[in-house]
Amino acid sequence: MQNVKTLIVLLSLLAFHADAQQLLRWGGDSEGGAPYVEADPADPSKVRGYDVEVADEIAKGLGRRAQFVQVQFQSIDQSVARGDFDIGMSGVEQTDPRCAALACTVPYFEFHEVIAVRPEDKDRYRTLADLKGRRVATLSGTIAYDLLLKAEKDQGVILVSYDDDVHPYEDMKQGRVDAVLLDNIIAARALRRTGGIFIQPQPVAAGHYVGVLAKENTALRDRINDVLRARMRDGTLEKIYRKWEIWDEYQPAFFRTVAEGEAPRVMPQTAAPRESRMDVVMKYIPALLRASLITIVMSCAAMALAIMVGVLIASGRVYGGVFTRMLLTFYVEVVRGTPVLLQLFVLYYGLSSVIRLPAFIAALLGLGLNYAAYESEIYRGALEAVPRGQLEAARTLGLTEYQVFTLVRGPQAFRIALAPMTNDFVALLKDSSLVSVITVVELTKQTSIFAANIGSWVIPGALCAGLYLALSLPLARLARMLESKWRMSTE
Amino acid sequence: MNDEILRIDSLRLNRGAREVLRGVNITAARGELVALMGLSGGGKTTILRSVAALEAFDAGSIDIGGVVLRPGPLPKGTLARELRKQVGMVFQLHYLFEHLTAMQNVTLAPLHVAHAAQAAAEARALQLLESLGVSHRKDALPRELSGGEAQRVAIARAMAMDPPLLLMDEPTASLDPARRQELGDTLRRLVAEGRTLVVTTHDDDFARDFADRVVILAEGEVVEQGNARDVLTNPQHAATKALLQGRAT
């Protein structure tokens, strides 16, 4: 009997082990869409795309079954490093920092960075040099981003970074930016999807997509390399690429080089000289400081707006008529009941057909109007906390209602509201990181770009946290000082 | 009557179905201290609040030195401004402005309503605080004042606009005997200056000692009035007797 039990336990352990062996967990971002990875329109619980098929081929070659893991594009590196999946591979670019921090496979596709412009600008903006003083969009954390960072210095273009690769083209069509620099696959897709753009035929640079594995996972990486080379030689990858219409004149030569085991040729722009980590950190510090400035200016302006609008809403809700009160209550409940992220999207993208707000203004309005709803509730409570008897006493002295508000009720309410207000300001300072979704590069966004480029979160994370604390601690201190000064007069 | 500063005529006031005031008639002459007495809920405070235009009433009229209040919404604009020049009020809980010092409480209205010069307003305020014996507390905030001090600052605040009629709600509540005597002396001095005081109180000794006239209210009606000493020594109405007995027991 005892033996049977042991046997069952052993068998089940084996079965579990065997099952784990058979899976190749691969991570990608289905939000990135076709032709990389997209939700299958026929069955949205499944994914399809050329990366999906390449992953299937790799799994087959390893004798495993591929299993997709959804991960945000910008987080693929960190996610694979901490072991969320075996290999990350939706349009992951081969860069020196990445392949130093992780185990990169051989490249399996050669792409080109191309400039897309509005059709009427096709003769004006052919090269990055033509775009001096113009706004050029791209996806953050990519080779294209680094190219534009360099072009910002050398050619004077203005870099606008996005978290996704659809909105750059939309915003270009609407005139918010003048050009987009991105991978030819992405540009071709944008052209197919909606038209209305022109892709300059002369590429700015070439690059390659690789699979990334955790640094210690070199054994699996080498086996995957063998599979990839074999599938290049036997035409399987060509078939997949043709199916997804990404096979072009560059691939045959690229395949030959890789299949023969050589490193593929790289255009000079992408082969930046290797820099020490310290140099990279130093290079990013000015950018981080600039981003902190944006964070603090954005937060202060948004808070000022929130206070002004909040006072108006609170006054309206305390003094206004039935209709005013209902309208303002509706506003407060809608704003508090929906995510600020959604509000930012609506302000920036949703309203763009009616009014085309610049990103910074949209961010400021979004945060300010959102926080105004919260502030108004604080002020309303504070106004109602001032004893009615004092208001009546003021009236019997002959003060007008307006004077009662500005001389008696307002000043006392402000002192009551101060502590929760400071709290909100610190919260807003940190919530300001959300505005990166509408292309404003503030402190957190700059940090994640920094982290992506050096392939580690340790130094950027520490610097970022330090800067946030440097901004919020003095604020908390100032609030405590004001509070203790005023507490004397309110208790 | 020419020296009449206050005439309340058939004043009626309802709160929902409850009749709080049921046709009240009261007059007060210049230089008179009138005590309003009656059991709690008799409508004493409501009368003061109606005269100060803090509460609207349903019928009757109130004439304060020629400014006439009528039923309907509370007065606004010119009428309100004229009224405020005639009436000041001291609340039972004082309701000093908590964020301002004693001095600032007193100068607020002179500065912002009468648009007096800062120096003149402060000089007058200091004089008032001095006459009430609290000038040494002029820089204190309300929360730092004792009950008696706060009351005197509240009186100074109401006096700063120099109204001929001053209403005081329960000034004797929570005062010890020594303080009560002091308050009585102060009120007599104000009356001697020609001011009219209408004071609600539960304290018949105080009324007997300091009031010229007493008005007894019961269930929203005036049941007895006359010379304070006479009425309180020789009560005629059952409600007055009950009031005095209630205190005696």
Side-chain angles (χ1 to χ4, degrees):
Chain A
M1 195 59 192
Q2 190 62 40
N3 284 347
V4 176
K5 246 189 190 164
T6 316
L7 192 67
I8 290 171
V9 170
L10 273 176
L11 276 176
S12 59
L13 272 177
L14 266 176
F16 178 77
H17 191 64
D19 195 45
Q21 273 291 317
Q22 277 172 5
L23 280 182
L24 175 74
R25 290 164 57 79
W26 71 280
D29 187 357
S30 62
E31 217 183 313
Y36 304 96
V37 189
E38 67 171 358
D40 190 339
D43 176 4
S45 66
K46 293 204 176 90
V47 287
R48 59 172 208 177
Y50 83 87
D51 268 318
V52 180
E53 296 186 21
V54 173
D56 282 341
E57 286 302 326
I58 293 173
K60 232 191 298 173
L62 296 172
R64 296 194 192 182
R65 187 163 56 82
Q67 188 190 54
F68 174 69
V69 177
Q70 166 63 36
V71 56
Q72 237 227 312
F73 178 72
Q74 269 86 1
S75 307
I76 291 177
D77 290 1
Q78 285 81 17
S79 214
V80 76
R82 64 189 292 276
D84 293 345
F85 40 79
D86 303 310
I87 179 170
M89 51 181 294
S90 55
V92 176
E93 298 166 330
Q94 181 181 37
T95 65
D96 286 344
R98 173 173 285 134
C99 295
L102 298 164
C104 289
T105 66
V106 290
Y108 60 90
F109 184 81
E110 177 165 305
F111 67 90
H112 293 85
E113 302 288 5
V114 292
I115 297 172
V117 294
R118 289 179 291 269
E120 63 267 29
D121 291 334
K122 73 184 168 88
D123 299 321
R124 260 167 84 193
Y125 307 135
R126 287 168 183 280
T127 63
L128 286 179
D130 295 340
L131 286 157
K132 180 178 164 64
R134 300 273 134 207
R135 292 163 61 83
V136 185
T138 194
L139 178 64
S140 66
T142 59
I143 292 176
Y145 180 88
D146 281 350
L147 284 171
L148 284 182
L149 210 58
K150 194 165 169 294
E152 207 168 26
K153 233 184 298 167
D154 300 346
Q155 276 117 347
V157 307
I158 300 161
L159 164 58
V160 184
S161 103
Y162 286 74
D163 273 352
D164 71 289
D165 53 25
V166 175
H167 285 115
Y169 293 99
E170 295 303 314
D171 279 4
M172 181 179 75
K173 280 192 274 184
Q174 294 191 350
R176 275 178 171 149
V177 298
D178 298 299
V180 179
L181 181 71
L182 266 175
D183 309 7
N184 56 332
I185 295 186
I186 300 172
R189 178 182 62 187
L191 181 62
R192 258 202 312 280
R193 183 178 290 151
T194 53
I197 64 170
F198 179 83
I199 300 169
Q200 294 295 354
Q202 186 57 48
V204 174
H208 301 98
Y209 295 145
V210 293
V212 284
L213 293 86
K215 199 176 170 67
E216 63 278 7
N217 227 350
T218 47
L220 180 61
R221 192 267 315 270
D222 294 342
R223 285 171 61 205
I224 291 173
N225 280 350
D226 293 342
V227 176
L228 281 173
R229 287 201 177 97
R231 296 296 162 267
M232 285 181 184
R233 277 193 293 266
D234 69 11
T236 312
L237 288 193
E238 180 178 341
K239 224 165 74 197
I240 294 172
Y241 292 174
R242 281 187 188 282
K243 175 181 163 192
W244 288 96
E245 297 176 351
I246 56 171
W247 181 262
D248 56 30
E249 71 271 25
Y250 300 106
Q251 305 307 323
F254 161 69
F255 270 29
R256 269 198 303 282
T257 351
V258 177
E260 281 158 21
E262 290 171 24
R265 122 207 104 78
V266 187
M267 282 178 90
Q269 282 92 330
T270 57
R274 255 188 101 58
E275 293 169 285
S276 78
R277 179 161 288 197
M278 203 54 217
D279 288 343
V280 180
V281 169
M282 291 313 290
K283 206 173 75 182
Y284 269 96
I285 282 180
L288 278 180
L289 290 177
R290 220 171 22 244
S292 314
L293 192 69
I294 289 180
T295 291
I296 191 80
V297 168
M298 164 87 59
S299 304
C300 288
M303 194 65 196
L305 179 69
I307 291 173
M308 282 187 289
V309 177
V311 166
L312 289 179
I313 295 176
S315 314
R317 287 188 75 183
V318 173
Y319 289 98
V322 180
F323 182 72
T324 313
R325 284 211 306 269
M326 260 170 52
L327 201 74
L328 293 173
T329 307
F330 178 75
Y331 174 82
V332 169
E333 293 311 328
V334 166
V335 169
R336 290 200 306 175
T338 55
V340 64
L341 210 55
L342 177 71
Q343 292 160 15
L344 287 170
F345 273 129
V346 168
L347 264 176
Y348 190 63
Y349 296 120
L351 292 185
S352 63
S353 55
V354 186
I355 178 168
R356 214 168 294 153
L357 296 167
F360 188 86
I361 300 295
L364 196 158
L365 279 178
L367 284 177
L369 293 179
N370 179 275
Y371 268 79
Y374 292 91
E375 293 313 294
S376 76
E377 282 299 277
I378 293 174
Y379 303 151
R380 192 168 67 97
L383 282 173
E384 283 176 352
V386 178
R388 299 212 159 258
Q390 280 192 46
L391 309 183
E392 292 187 338
R395 278 176 209 134
T396 62
L397 288 172
L399 268 64
T400 63
E401 280 308 308
Y402 180 73
Q403 286 176 320
V404 174
F405 181 75
T406 56
L407 297 172
V408 176
R409 201 175 198 184
Q412 292 186 68
F414 182 69
R415 286 156 166 78
I416 296 169
L418 188 74
M421 253 169 85
T422 322
N423 221 14
D424 273 5
F425 191 15
V426 174
L428 186 142
L429 191 72
K430 291 174 292 175
D431 272 2
S432 68
S433 64
L434 292 171
V435 304
S436 68
V437 299
I438 57 172
T439 77
V440 178
V441 178
E442 43 58 66
L443 185 48
T444 302
K445 181 68 194 168
Q446 188 63 56
T447 305
S448 83
I449 292 168
F450 183 8
N453 283 28
I454 70 166
S456 158
W457 269 93
V458 180
I459 297 171
L463 281 173
C464 175
L467 284 167
Y468 271 113
L469 284 173
L471 298 179
S472 64
L473 286 181
L475 208 71
R477 204 179 151 70
L478 175 75
R480 265 199 306 280
M481 267 167 52
L482 285 178
E483 258 178 75
S484 64
K485 183 180 154 204
W486 281 337
R487 190 178 302 123
M488 290 187 290
S489 54
T490 48
E491 274 175 7
Chain B
M1 258 195 300
N2 208 12
D3 66 342
E4 211 170 68
I5 176 81
L6 175 68
R7 168 171 287 275
I8 301 175
D9 205 3
S10 314
L11 183 65
R12 305 186 79 91
L13 189 150
N14 304 326
R15 276 201 196 106
R18 199 165 80 86
E19 291 184 295
V20 180
L21 301 177
R22 302 195 283 188
V24 170
N25 298 294
I26 297 173
T27 59
R30 287 186 199 275
E32 191 178 32
L33 199 168
V34 179
L36 287 187
M37 295 191 72
L39 294 172
S40 299
K44 304 186 298 289
T45 301
T46 309
I47 291 172
L48 294 194
R49 291 176 56 83
S50 299
V51 174
L54 292 175
E55 201 145 347
F57 49 90
D58 298 296
S61 67
I62 302 174
D63 182 332
I64 307 130
V67 181
V68 182
L69 300 179
R70 301 202 181 279
L74 294 174
K76 284 196 160 59
T78 319
L79 183 62
R81 271 199 300 280
E82 288 306 313
L83 174 81
R84 299 303 176 205
K85 283 185 194 158
Q86 300 292 325
V87 191
M89 181 151 173
V90 179
F91 294 79
Q92 182 177 356
L93 300 175
H94 320 314
Y95 290 126
L96 293 176
F97 307 129
E98 299 287 336
H99 62 303
L100 302 178
T101 62
M103 172 64 98
Q104 290 167 330
N105 263 276
V106 179
T107 56
L108 187 74
L111 289 176
H112 295 278
V113 179
H115 303 289
Q118 181 88 29
E122 284 185 5
R124 162 100 177 110
L126 195 62
Q127 200 184 352
L128 275 169
L129 291 170
E130 230 160 47
S131 73
L132 290 159
V134 279
S135 56
H136 62 294
R137 304 293 279 146
K138 68 183 171 64
D139 296 323
L141 288 164
R143 67 180 193 101
E144 298 161 342
L145 299 174
S146 72
E149 287 171 340
Q151 182 177 57
R152 282 174 282 163
V153 173
I155 294 172
R157 182 177 67 176
M159 299 284 300
M161 294 296 280
D162 207 14
L165 174 63
L166 189 61
L167 311 174
M168 296 184 80
D169 195 13
E170 300 287 355
T172 52
S174 72
L175 284 190
D176 58 48
R179 291 271 168 231
R180 213 190 51 172
Q181 179 67 39
E182 238 176 66
L183 174 73
D185 293 342
T186 303
L187 300 192
R188 284 315 313 177
R189 209 171 57 241
L190 294 177
V191 170
E193 288 164 6
R195 224 173 295 272
T196 305
L197 265 65
V198 178
V199 176
T200 69
T201 182
H202 280 100
D203 186 337
D204 54 281
D205 285 339
F206 183 82
R208 197 180 288 115
D209 293 347
F210 300 104
D212 297 308
R213 217 146 51 74
V214 64
V215 177
I216 311 291
L217 284 154
E219 295 177 3
E221 283 174 301
V222 175
V223 294
E224 192 171 355
Q225 60 176 308
N227 177 285
R229 208 167 287 271
D230 295 348
V231 171
L232 295 173
T233 331
N234 186 16
Q236 299 300 308
H237 196 275
T240 318
K241 289 178 185 160
L243 187 72
L244 294 174
Q245 269 162 17
R247 190 202 155 259
T249 51

